[in-house]
Amino acid sequence: MKKGVIKIYISICFLSATLTAMAQVAEHPRIYINNEAKADFLNTLETVSWKKSLVEKKKNNLEKYLKYVEEDPTWLVSRLQMNWNTKHDKVYLKAGDFSHSEGSAPVATVRYSGTRDWATDYKRPKLEDVTPYFDDPRGLYLEHKETGKKEWIHPSKAGFAIEKLNEQIMNLAQDAAFLYWLTNDKKYADFAAPVFLTYMDGMYYRDAPIDLNKTTQQHISGLATFEVIHEGIVVSLVTAYDFLYAYFQENNTSLEHSVSVFQKWGDQIIEKGIPDNNWNLFQARFLTYIALVLESDSNYSNGKGQEYFLDHTFNTSTDRQLAIKESLLVYDHENGIWPESSSYSVHVITTLQRIFTLLDQATNKNEFLNYPIVEKAALASFQYLFPSGYTVGFGDANHKILPPENFELLIANYRKYNLKEKEALISGLLNQMIAEKLYKREANDFFELFFYVDELKQESTGNVSIKGLTSSTFYAPNVSMFNQRMGEGNDAVMVSTVASYGNHTHANGISIELFANNYVLGPDSGKGPSYWHPTFRNYYARMPAHNTVVVDGQSDYHNMRSYNPYVLDNAYPESGQAANFDKITFSKVSFVEPKTKSDQQRFTAIIKSNTSQKYILDVFRSKKQNAGKQKHEYIYHNLGQSLDLFNKKGSALKLSSTSDLSSDNGDLKAYDFFTKKFKTQTSNDVMGLFTLKSEKQPNNYMKLWIKGSENQTFYSLKSPKSNALSKGTAPTEVLDKPLPTLILKRNEAAWDNPFAVVFNPYMDGDNNVIENVSYDSLENYPNTQVITVQQAHNITDKIVLNAFDGDVIEKGDFFQRGLLSIERYSEEKLDFMFLSGMIKYENKGWDIIAAGKPFTLSIEKTATGFKFQTDQAITINMPFVKGTKPAKLRLYKNGKLVTTRKGTTNRNRDDQLVFKLEKGYQNAEIIFDKN
């Protein structure tokens, strides 16, 4: 059993003892604060401006509603969405839509939500515009977003209008309940109590919904909404109950119905849900609120009190709701990554921290220590970040900052338990987010008001920074994500390569997002209006919305819950490891596209030029496993207003309008979302130029050096906007604009002759370091790609790339059995050599041989010889001028010299020195004696 798992199980043992002690505490409030802490809290409102600001905001927001209720005591209650006239106690659904309600109860009952799909064509009315006691057999009377006219519609067409109106009203009630506790002003309780009690009575007499179609919906429905994870009104109800408890006691108000509703809600959450993703944790948060507001089990005839619901939160799993101890096993305990897209992953961290913070408020037992994966996950989430501080956007994600709450709650825990070093570390990170204007400390809800520390510590944390929590490469196999980073500030470049593994995935094959010039220039398209919306299903979740290769216009598989990862074949440097050689990162991944049964392979590298600029090499191989007619299309979306195509001489290519790329031609429906389609056909190399113009900024360019191929078709078109983008990853001018898109089409396999592109980002006014890129291949070695990148000042990179480690190329005195070689020459003199996945390499007097496993080696020229590193045992035969003194080999470990020895002359070639290394070394030198 893993160490982290053992700690989880140990924590459960302590939980039972803790519950007994907690159950003795009967006083309310208890969720966020207790009466003993009230005086200190009142003092903070005088000294902490951001806390005082929220309280004042809540007071001011309630003022107009207090006046409405003063004039008409029924004003707010009557706007609850209830079955005022019919008093129906039965609710019927047809799968994800409300069907109808029926039956009879002694009081007005709570209306059920309209649909599981939040996307709607109709506006939710303001509270002032809601008709009092509205309950009409014709449905809802709402304004259409486009026409501005009101229409009678069935509730299933209204999205979340019904539930959100009730949540809005109950939020007012909880705020008033809090202000009653804070000020002892009875007007606030008189305002909140009728709303709370009316709703709770209405839910007491109303049954859980029944799905007439007997679909999965029957197993996931809440009492108020179509999903138990969206029962947000539970938090407001618990909060109102907690702060109004003394008022209810003083007025001899019966709370039996309220307790029964909380128990019924808890049972619904335990019995319903989806037990193998984030639902367990979102449900657990609601269960925690319900548990903590209830009394001990012994207070209730059914035994369902605090201990019962906490046990089901943390320890006891059901068929539809896994307890936290079991849910946390889903984490990758090596790297701290949750198996969902980034937006959901970081939200899971927030949810867990809220649960443990609430529990710790009740137990004071430092619950976080029992669940170390939560802290690890919070720190691992930095690996999702682009250099701009925003998360990657694969699957149902978008580009946003990490939730500052994740770090605020860690800090609160550290300060509570005097963990000073940890507090200083996380405070330093949060202060950096504030300094970079990614975050402003302020309170927006009760969690922030009561649990954030008043002031962050400002002590120096040395070299701790966001950069320090990311690595040049990071691999998360449980989401099939490999990130590469290089450079800082304006020169930072990043590529995120993903497939589809886990939850909230898209059908995207091997897709990339590309960051350069301070923006995500090559973005993912993100998600659509909702998961049920045809735009999402037909475009955003499908292959053509991503930077990938589509086969036969048909590449596809199930999105959302997908098990289509790639295999990481090769990478440099190793995930999470620092590398002494910092001029290259790369990954090579393999994938089988299931719909067309095609083999695909993508090699993507970031290479530093001889200046601070970088370029990205992308080689994508694709072929159907069955021979015969086939089509492969390389798709790339880039920020900007335009895409222009040129020949190698710089002359614009003539493009013509086309009706290609359409479902009418047998392609996926996703192709129908492309507009302004133009094409040209050529076998020659082509240059593409994406131009991004932004006010008061120099023009932002992405130049593409594209390998030519016989009868290759080039398309320039517009794709729908990317919903992944945010102000932190794209300028405002293009946030909601179509994406210029390049498509390369081959009517044949693209394996021996893969798609190959060099991405060359630069800004207007910069000296673009790349002058030319040429592509060559050898007839006798079809798997080999030879790419020459000519830089300014007579600097040349020669890249030889094979499909596999065992592939061979031989030409003249050049021999390579292995994946990759990169040589940089300055004035025709070797500057550096990088080899990876290599078995044997010969060129210009160098002969380097693996002792067993394929190796990765870098060799750089220095003033006194060469410095190098290797990850495996090798033999180096290097050029040597006969008659000169042999060079010396120096080997280092942990920065200290451990071995020195002279090279020996190769017995077969007296113009070579031989050095044998029995293992890998991160730091080694070959020094020539000048004397």
Side-chain angles (χ1 to χ4, degrees), residues 535-566:
T535 301
F536 172 74
R537 292 187 169 189
N538 292 327
Y539 179 71
Y540 285 99
R542 309 268 73 84
M543 289 269 202
H546 304 85
N547 299 321
T548 189
V549 167
V550 177
V551 182
D552 289 346
Q554 292 296 313
S555 291
D556 198 18
Y557 48 83
H558 186 68
N559 68 293
M560 186 60 72
R561 191 69 64 88
S562 183
Y563 302 101
N564 292 281
Y566 52 60

Side-chain angles (χ1 to χ4, degrees), residues 234 279 566 592 600 763 798 814 880:
V234 166
W279 283 48
Y566 52 60
V592 176
Q600 295 190 323
M763 303 289 289
K798 183 179 180 182
F814 183 91
F880 170 63

